[in-house]
Amino acid sequence: MRLLRSTDLALRVLMRLAVAGESSPTTREVAEDMDVPYTHAAKVVADLQHRGLLAARRGRGGGLTLTEKGRTASVGALVRAFEGEGDVVDCEGNGQATGPCPLSAGCRLRGALRRAQEAFFAALDPVTIADIVATPTGPLLLEITRTS
């Protein structure tokens, strides 16, 4: 399964903030650290803020901080939220010139793929943001990000 760019970025933003310590990087700094366009980072940061996973302060002395809810957030729940409830395959043919799959009335593949997708999410459910930045990841993140 391949994650959407926004899902990947959301996880990386939360990971970055989890190791920020006393510093509060700005959205622009996080975007630069991750080598992604500012507009993409800003959209993801706004979504994460709306979900209560990070706090953003504007102005001088402002920046981003991870909330306790963000630190203990389930990676599985986050991935589900960003990926949406869509199927792994597009059996209806939306956006394709070929139209719906002729097997859709009796296909068992769609159900099998749905179960596999749910197993993927379930494997991530017990993992938290705090878990994924534990040593050795946290110190490595600190090495590759700016020290503000």
Side-chain angles (χ1 to χ4, degrees), residues 120-134:
F120 173 78
F121 292 144
L124 295 174
D125 282 341
V127 180
T128 67
I129 297 299
D131 293 335
I132 60 176
V133 297

Side-chain angles (χ1 to χ4, degrees), residues 55-130:
R57 292 183 318 276
R58 292 179 168 225
R60 187 177 177 113
L64 306 173
T65 55
L66 189 65
T67 64
E68 186 56 32
K69 182 178 178 181
R71 186 170 303 286
T72 60
S74 161
V75 172
L78 258 163
V79 172
R80 268 189 199 88
F82 274 84
E83 293 293 312
E85 294 296 321
D87 285 322
V88 175
V89 293
D90 180 16
C91 297
E92 304 305 318
N94 298 327
Q96 296 180 4
T98 59
C101 175
L103 299 175
S104 62
C107 182
R108 297 175 71 180
L109 177 61
R110 184 180 196 174
L113 290 173
R114 171 66 89 180
R115 287 188 300 278
Q117 181 183 32
E118 186 49 41
F120 173 78
F121 292 144
L124 295 174
D125 282 341
V127 180
T128 67
I129 297 299

